[in-house]
Amino acid sequence: MSFNGRLTIDEDKGSIDEDEVTTGLKVGIPLFSFNRSLVTRSAPVWLYFLVFSRYHFFVSQSQFLLAAQLGVEDSAVFRSTSAARWLGQFMLTANPIGFLNFVALCLDAGPLAHFLPVATRNWPTPAISICSQGRFTTASLEDSFLADLEDLSDNDNENLDEDTGDAEHMEDDVNGDLADIEALNYDDLDSVSKLQKTQRYTEIMQKVEEALEKGSNISNQGMVLEDDPEYQLIVDCNTLSVDIENEIVIIHNFIRDKYRLKFPELESLVHHPIDYARVVKKIGNEVDLTLVDLEGLLPSAVIMVVSVTASTTSGKPLPQDILQKTIEACDRALTLDASKKKVLDFVESRMGYIAPNLSAIVGSAVAAKLMGTAGGLTSLAKMPACNVQLLGTKKKNLAGFSTATSQFRVGYIEQTEIFQTTPPALKMRACRLVAAKSTLAARVDSIRGDPSGKQGRAYREEIHKKIEKWQEPPPAKQPKPLPVPDSEPKKKRGGRRLRKMKERYAITDMRKLANRMQFGVPEESSLGDGLGEGYGMLGQAGNGKLRVSVGQSKLAAKVAKKFKDKQYSSGGATSGLTSSLAFTPVQGIDLIDPQADANRLGSGTQSTYFSETGTFSKIKRT
Amino acid sequence: MSYLLRTLTKKEDVDSIIRDTIDKLLVLRFGRSSDSVCLQLDDILSKSEQDVSKFASIALVDVDSEENQVYLKYFDITLIPSTVFFFNAHHMKMDSGSADHTKWVGAFHRKQDFIDVVEEIFRGAMKGKLIVKCPLPPERIPKFQLLFKDV
C-alpha cells in the first residue's frame, strides 16, 4: 500500500455525526465484503478512496485504514508490511478517541454488528473490551497500542542481534529464527564455546608447545623463509590468537550471566574478563567475603569496593549444578588465556627473525598482532599506512553511550611503547608517524632487505627525534625596537567599501552648484541682498532642472541599472512575442531613459555653462 | 644608571659623537650622576634606549668635568638635568610651552613621554624643521623658572 504522506489530523474531535458514519459504512462495507474473496493488499486502498472523501474531515487516513483492516483476514500479512509500522506510529498521534468512538458506533450500528467477531479477532484484548464498553480513556488506549507496537519492533531487534551473533559464534549456531532466541539462555557451555574442541586448536597448540620446548635452536639460522613450515605455524598462531580472544569474550558473557544471580554488581566492578573469571572462581558460592582472599587478583582499592558491595548485594547463593558449570567455564577461560599467552610468546620469540625491522619499531608483541590481523607479512606490506594504523581497532560503541569520549581510531599501535610514552596532546601525530614508519619497515622485511634490523632501529631513532622536536618550546620572543617613525608608508585601502564611505563626505552636486556663479548674474543669498551665504547657481534659471534634488551617486546608479535590467528581462517563461514596453493610450510609445537623471549633470566637472542640452537663458512669463 | 649609557667626559668625545651620529637623533643629557632628578631621567633613558635605537642614540655628558664647561656656557645650561637634541649636527629645538625652547629641562614622567618627544623631534627633523611642537600635555611637562641675570 502506498499512499502519499498527506494526513489530516483533527485535534478536537470527540463527537461524530452518526448518520454520516453509518451511511458511509453502509455503502462501503457491503462493497468490501463483496471483494472479500479477492482480498489483496489493494482492497483497503479501494475502500479508503471510496469513503475517504466523506470522512477526511473527522477521521484521519491511518484510522480509516485500520477500520479497513476490519475485513482483512490475514492480519499477519497486513502487519508485516511497512504500512503497519507507519500506521502504528500514526495511531498514537492521530486521534485515538475519535477513532475508537467511530469503531464503537460501527459496532453498535445494526448492519455491522455481525462484523464484530471478524473485526476484533486480531486486536489486543484490552482494546476490544474498551470498544465494547464504548468508553475509553487515552492512557490505556495508548498503552495498548504501544504494547502492540513493541511486539512488532522487538521481534525485529532480536533478528538483528542474531545475525551479528553469527559472526562471533562458531559453526552451528542459531539462525535468526524467532523461536531460538530462548536458546541464547544456554545452559550448556559447550553449545556456545567450541574452540577448545576443534581439531585446529589442538594441532596448533601441540606444535607451539613443541616449538617452545625446542627453544631458540632454530632461530640461530637467521631469517625464516616463507616456505618454512614454521612460518606457516606462525601465521596460524596469529589467527588462532584472535579466535581465542573472541572465545574468551563469549565465555565471559556466559559466566557473567550465570553469576548474576549470586553477585550482580561484580560485573560492573571488574571489567576484564580474565580477572572476572579468577574472582568468580575464588569467591565461588561464598556469602561472606571476608573469608575470601582476593589479594593479588585485583588492586586493593577494587577489593575493598567488591567486599563492601558484596555485603549489601541482592544476590542469592547459586544452586550446586549452576555453580559447577560456572566454575567449569572459569577454568576454561583461564586455560584459553594461558594458551593464548603461549601462542603469543612463541610468535614473539620468532618475530625477531621474521620481521626484525618491524619489531625494532613497534616491539615483537604488537608486530605479531599486526601480522596476524593483516594475514601475513606480505599482506601487511601491501597495506597503506592509514590501514595499518587502524588494524585492531575495537569497535565497541554500545548504543546509547556517547561517542564524545571515545578514543580516536588507534589499533594495536596503541600498545607500542612509543605511543604509550608520548604526551596525550601529541598522541595522534605520534600514532600516524609510527604507523607510517612501521609500514615502511614491514615492506623492507617482506623482501628481506635488511636482515639485521638496522633499518628498523634507524626508523625508531627518527621517530624519537621527531617527537622530541614537537615537544620543544617555541623560541623566546625578543623585544623589538620601535620602527622608525614615518618610514613605512601608510597602507591605503581601496575597494567598494571605502568608496561608499568616501561618498558620504564627497561634495554633492548641490554644493558644486552653489560654489559657482553665472557671469553677470548676481547670486541669491540666504539673508538676501548679498548678505549671508551665497547660493551660486542653485535655483537659477539657467540650470537643466527646475529643482536640484539629491543626485544619484555613481554607485547607486550602477545598482539601479542592474536592478532595472533584471526587471526588464523576464524569467524566460514568457513567449517570444511578449514585449516589455508599455503603451500608454494617449502618447503611444514612451521610451524613458533611466539614466537620464544621473547623467544630466554629469560628473560635475562638466560645465553646464556651455551645455548643449537646451538650457533656457530666458523664461518668458506670460 | 649611568653605567648603562655612554658617559662623556672629554670634549673630543662630545664633538665626535655630535658629528658622527648620522641620520639619527642624538639625545645628550647634561647632568650629574649623583643628582636624584638626574637619576630619574637616566632610568627612563636607559629603559627606552633599546626601543628607540633605530632612530635615536643617547649619551650622557657629565657636567662636573672641566672640558665640558664650554658646552654648558654655550647651551646656557643652569638647571640639572638638561637634555639637548641634535640631528645631523643640527640643534633641534622644541616648543614645550616653557620659556626655553633649546633644551628640555628636568625628567620625564613616563617612558612613553620620552619616546613621544623623541619621535616628534625625529619627524620634524626628517621634514626639515628645526623646531617642533611638544606632543605632551602641559601637566606632564616639568615646570621651571628661568631667572635672567641682571634683568
Side-chain angles (χ1 to χ4, degrees):
Chain A
M1 295 177 228
S2 59
F3 296 97
N4 56 4
R6 193 169 50 100
L7 184 73
T8 57
I9 296 174
D10 299 315
E11 295 301 308
D12 59 73
K13 290 297 185 288
S15 63
I16 307 158
D17 193 355
E18 191 177 325
D19 297 333
E20 291 199 352
V21 170
T22 47
T23 11
L25 282 162
K26 277 178 194 158
V27 172
I29 299 293
L31 283 172
F32 185 68
S33 59
F34 168 69
N35 254 346
R36 241 228 253 146
S37 55
L38 313 157
V39 156
T40 58
R41 285 191 191 154
S42 59
V45 176
W46 176 84
L47 179 60
Y48 158 72
F49 276 122
L50 182 70
V51 201
F52 182 69
S53 54
R54 198 90 179 97
Y55 295 102
H56 70 274
F57 55 87
F58 84 94
V59 84
S60 73
Q61 190 170 339
S62 58
Q63 291 167 354
F64 201 82
L65 272 180
L66 207 62
Q69 190 212 340
L70 295 184
V72 176
E73 302 261 335
D74 188 6
S75 74
V77 171
F78 181 79
R79 266 184 169 206
S80 63
T81 58
S82 57
R85 205 135 295 151
W86 171 78
L87 200 69
Q89 288 167 14
F90 278 125
M91 266 161 40
L92 296 169
T93 57
N95 184 3
I97 297 184
F99 170 55
L100 268 267
N101 267 320
F102 161 65
V103 167
L105 280 166
C106 299
L107 298 176
D108 284 342
L112 306 170
H114 66 280
F115 274 101
L116 176 56
V118 172
T120 56
R121 183 181 50 179
N122 297 312
W123 288 9
T125 18
I128 298 171
S129 55
I130 287 166
C131 280
S132 51
Q133 286 168 19
R135 180 189 314 157
F136 9 81
T137 60
T138 326
S140 47
L141 255 184
E142 282 183 354
D143 284 343
S144 63
F145 283 135
L146 262 174
D148 209 10
L149 192 60
E150 268 168 10
D151 263 333
L152 285 173
S153 51
D154 267 340
N155 282 345
D156 270 323
N157 279 347
E158 273 163 7
N159 280 342
L160 236 70
D161 269 344
E162 278 302 289
D163 286 339
T164 53
D166 269 336
E168 301 269 291
H169 292 311
M170 301 310 276
E171 296 81 49
D172 51 282
D173 240 4
V174 289
N175 256 343
D177 212 352
L178 278 176
D180 283 339
I181 294 170
E182 278 66 50
L184 224 45
N185 294 331
Y186 37 73
D187 281 331
D188 193 7
L189 177 64
D190 284 336
S191 70
V192 185
S193 145
K194 294 213 174 220
L195 181 60
Q196 275 184 309
K197 307 274 187 280
T198 54
Q199 173 78 354
R200 190 169 130 244
Y201 175 78
T202 40
E203 261 180 36
I204 296 179
M205 284 313 298
Q206 216 179 8
K207 282 193 205 159
V208 163
E209 269 159 42
E210 280 173 16
L212 275 175
E213 278 168 18
K214 267 193 242 162
S216 52
N217 292 340
I218 306 173
S219 52
N220 287 340
Q221 287 179 7
M223 287 286 288
V224 178
L225 298 171
E226 207 160 59
D227 318 324
D228 199 343
E230 224 183 60
Y231 180 74
Q232 191 53 41
L233 178 61
I234 287 168
V235 171
D236 290 336
C237 284
N238 284 326
T239 45
L240 187 67
S241 69
V242 174
D243 289 335
I244 291 180
E245 253 178 89
N246 293 339
E247 196 67 21
I248 289 179
V249 170
I250 295 168
I251 296 183
H252 171 66
N253 290 343
F254 178 81
I255 302 173
R256 196 188 53 198
D257 290 337
K258 294 290 177 203
Y259 208 66
R260 209 173 264 165
L261 304 162
K262 166 81 173 64
F263 193 169
E265 298 89 358
L266 186 63
E267 60 171 326
S268 50
L269 296 172
V270 183
H271 289 284
H272 195 253
I274 302 300
D275 287 340
Y276 188 83
R278 287 203 191 105
V279 170
V280 163
K281 198 165 165 202
K282 205 69 187 287
I283 297 180
N285 226 357
E286 194 67 58
V287 178
D288 185 7
L289 236 80
T290 53
L291 304 171
V292 175
D293 178 26
L294 292 171
E295 292 295 313
L297 296 179
L298 296 170
S300 20
V302 182
I303 295 177
M304 196 167 59
V305 175
V306 165
S307 30
V308 165
T309 351
S311 55
T312 57
T313 188
S314 55
K316 297 173 192 51
L318 298 169
Q320 196 55 35
D321 52 343
I322 297 188
L323 179 69
Q324 195 58 37
K325 289 205 179 95
T326 320
I327 302 292
E328 233 180 72
C330 292
D331 286 331
R332 189 177 286 201
L334 293 171
T335 40
L336 275 177
D337 187 48
S339 44
K340 181 172 141 201
K341 276 212 181 70
K342 267 193 226 156
V343 163
L344 271 181
D345 284 339
F346 170 65
V347 175
E348 267 179 61
S349 65
R350 297 286 177 267
M351 189 45 77
Y353 303 97
I354 302 170
N357 293 296
L358 180 59
S359 28
I361 299 179
V362 295
S364 1
V366 175
K369 287 184 192 156
L370 285 173
M371 247 183 69
T373 331
L377 190 55
T378 25
S379 0
L380 183 63
K382 284 187 189 153
M383 278 187 188
C386 48
N387 285 8
V388 170
Q389 184 182 344
L390 296 175
L391 279 179
T393 39
K394 292 176 230 156
K395 281 218 186 125
K396 255 201 198 156
N397 272 342
L398 305 173
F401 284 96
S402 139
T403 51
T405 56
S406 65
Q407 262 242 316
F408 37 73
R409 291 138 50 88
V410 199
Y412 289 130
I413 305 271
E414 197 180 3
Q415 299 163 14
T416 59
E417 186 206 323
I418 300 177
F419 187 84
Q420 299 285 342
T421 50
T422 52
L426 298 172
K427 275 204 153 85
M428 205 54 225
R429 291 171 79 180
C431 169
R432 239 177 280 140
L433 184 62
V434 168
K437 293 304 177 201
S438 54
T439 315
L440 288 176
R443 287 177 193 164
V444 169
D445 283 330
S446 69
I447 54 161
R448 311 279 186 276
D450 187 1
S452 64
K454 199 159 62 86
Q455 188 66 279
R457 283 189 286 276
Y459 283 147
R460 196 195 172 93
E461 274 315 303
E462 219 182 288
I463 291 174
H464 275 301
K465 272 208 200 95
K466 277 206 180 147
I467 296 181
E468 281 297 315
K469 192 140 194 294
W470 291 341
Q471 292 175 323
E472 260 175 20
K477 247 185 120 173
Q478 297 285 342
K480 271 170 58 175
L482 296 168
V484 177
D486 296 341
S487 64
E488 285 107 21
K490 274 164 101 173
K491 284 170 245 184
K492 295 272 180 210
R493 291 171 151 202
R496 186 171 176 270
R497 194 187 281 196
L498 202 78
R499 268 181 276 132
K500 291 214 96 169
M501 285 283 295
K502 284 189 122 181
E503 233 176 75
R504 294 163 59 196
Y505 302 102
I507 297 193
T508 59
D509 289 333
M510 232 175 120
R511 184 54 68 177
K512 277 183 203 138
L513 277 183
N515 285 344
R516 299 177 189 153
M517 278 181 64
Q518 245 193 344
F519 185 76
V521 174
E523 63 174 359
E524 294 160 19
S525 46
S526 57
L527 297 176
D529 228 16
L531 306 166
E533 196 195 314
Y535 287 152
M537 298 247 307
L538 257 191
Q540 289 196 352
N543 294 343
K545 290 197 233 182
L546 289 177
R547 198 202 283 176
V548 179
S549 55
V550 174
Q552 265 185 339
S553 65
K554 284 210 189 116
L555 285 174
K558 276 191 204 158
V559 169
K561 185 177 174 191
K562 258 193 206 165
F563 179 65
K564 283 203 179 133
D565 281 341
K566 278 191 201 155
Q567 260 189 342
Y568 284 147
S569 64
S570 52
T574 53
S575 75
L577 299 174
T578 52
S579 147
S580 50
L581 296 175
F583 288 94
T584 60
V586 176
Q587 294 166 355
I589 300 176
D590 189 28
L591 295 175
I592 310 167
D593 176 17
Q595 295 297 304
D597 283 341
N599 288 341
R600 188 86 70 120
L601 282 169
S603 57
T605 54
Q606 237 176 17
S607 168
T608 53
Y609 204 74
F610 297 104
S611 157
E612 285 158 29
T613 58
T615 64
F616 292 109
S617 54
K618 243 198 230 174
I619 297 178
K620 265 215 167 111
R621 274 188 161 217
T622 49
Chain B
M1 311 302 161
S2 41
Y3 48 81
L4 294 169
L5 300 160
R6 277 161 48 138
T7 316
L8 308 167
T9 42
K10 296 211 187 75
K11 186 174 175 299
E12 298 89 51
D13 294 337
V14 180
D15 282 344
S16 59
I17 198 175
I18 292 177
R19 265 199 308 262
D20 296 337
T21 313
I22 301 176
D23 284 344
K24 263 173 117 180
L25 191 68
L26 176 65
V27 181
L28 281 186
R29 180 226 75 184
F30 287 86
R32 266 180 219 113
S33 50
S34 46
D35 183 33
S36 59
V37 187
C38 272
L39 284 174
Q40 262 184 320
L41 176 63
D42 287 350
D43 179 37
I44 289 183
L45 287 179
S46 57
K47 279 186 192 164
S48 46
E49 187 192 9
Q50 221 257 321
D51 287 338
V52 301
S53 56
K54 282 201 169 170
F55 50 94
S57 55
I58 305 176
L60 309 179
V61 178
D62 197 6
V63 135
D64 293 326
S65 95
E66 294 83 31
E67 296 178 29
N68 291 337
Q69 299 306 314
V70 188
Y71 286 110
L72 296 188
K73 274 230 179 89
Y74 180 75
F75 289 118
D76 201 13
I77 292 172
T78 45
L79 293 166
I80 303 290
S82 297
T83 315
V84 188
F85 300 95
F86 295 92
F87 187 82
N88 279 353
H90 286 284
H91 175 54
M92 304 297 299
K93 302 185 228 339
M94 184 165 73
D95 175 13
S96 47
S98 64
D100 191 356
H101 297 177
T102 57
K103 55 177 108 46
W104 172 275
V105 177
F108 292 91
H109 282 242
R110 287 189 212 144
K111 183 176 148 194
Q112 189 55 42
D113 288 349
F114 171 67
I115 296 177
D116 287 343
V117 165
V118 166
E119 271 193 7
E120 196 58 38
I121 297 178
F122 183 82
R123 279 205 196 96
M126 291 302 271
K127 292 205 178 106
K129 298 183 187 170
L130 288 175
I131 182 163
V132 297
K133 194 158 182 334
C134 181
L136 304 177
E139 54 266 9
R140 297 230 210 103
I141 300 176
K143 298 281 180 278
F144 59 94
Q145 280 253 325
L146 252 195
L147 298 168
F148 291 97
K149 224 176 177 183
D150 297 341
V151 173

